[in-house]
Amino acid sequence: MLASELYAIAAGVDIAISISTTLAIVTQRLKIEGIPTVVYTDSLSLYKYIVKLGTTKEKRLMIDIMAIRQSYERRELSEVRWIEGISNPTDAITKASPNKALEALVDTNSLTVRVQG
C-alpha cells in the first residue's frame, strides 16, 4: 500500500513543481507575491517518511522518498501536511464504509478538514 501511495504522491509532486516553477516566473514578472506549493497526504506513514526522516528497506521507494524530501528541503514544496482520516471525504471513495466527512459535505455543502503538520 505504501508503494502505491508513494508513486501517486511522487507523480503529483512532479506536476506541482512544474506548475509552481511556471507560476514563480509569472509572479516575479508581475511583481506579486509567490504562490506556495503545499502537498497533502492521508497516509500518516508516508508523511512521517517525508517530514520526519523515516526510512524503508525497499530501495526503489527510498529513491522516491528522498526525491520528495529533497524538494521539501530545497523549499520547492512549502509544506507537507497530513490529513486525518476522520475529516477526509475521499476516504468514502476508497474505503468500504463511508465516513462523516462526506456525509457532512453532502448535507451542508461545506467541509472542515483537520490537517496536521
Side-chain angles (χ1 to χ4, degrees), residues 19-34:
I19 292 170
S20 68
T21 302
T22 304
L23 282 174
I25 293 167
V26 171
T27 56
Q28 284 175 349
R29 289 188 182 168
L30 294 175
K31 296 184 170 116
I32 59 175
E33 190 174 332

Side-chain angles (χ1 to χ4, degrees), residues 9-112:
I9 200 170
V13 166
D14 284 345
I15 293 167
I17 289 174
S18 297
I19 292 170
S20 68
T21 302
T22 304
L23 282 174
I25 293 167
V26 171
T27 56
Q28 284 175 349
R29 289 188 182 168
L30 294 175
K31 296 184 170 116
I32 59 175
E33 190 174 332
I35 300 168
T37 304
V38 181
V39 175
Y40 292 88
T41 182
D42 65 346
S43 170
L44 182 58
S45 58
L46 183 57
Y47 171 78
K48 287 180 179 179
Y49 281 127
I50 295 169
V51 176
K52 304 200 180 202
L53 307 178
T55 59
T56 181
K57 293 181 182 187
E58 296 181 53
K59 289 182 182 179
R60 178 64 192 130
L61 298 183
M62 197 61 212
I63 291 168
D64 285 334
I65 290 169
M66 288 177 8
I68 295 170
R69 190 180 298 157
Q70 188 175 38
S71 294
Y72 180 62
E73 290 169 355
R74 288 181 179 169
R75 307 305 286 158
E76 293 170 330
L77 305 174
S78 301
E79 295 179 61
V80 177
R81 294 182 175 180
W82 170 64
I83 299 174
E84 197 170 342
I86 296 169
S87 65
N88 185 358
T90 59
D91 268 0
I93 298 168
T94 60
K95 306 283 188 297
S97 60
N99 64 11
K100 297 290 182 188
L102 181 63
E103 205 172 289
L105 176 61
V106 170
D107 290 345
T108 65
N109 201 29
S110 66
L111 181 64
T112 302

Side-chain angles (χ1 to χ4, degrees), residues 3-14:
S4 60
E5 299 233 5
L6 180 57
Y7 293 146
I9 200 170
V13 166
D14 284 345

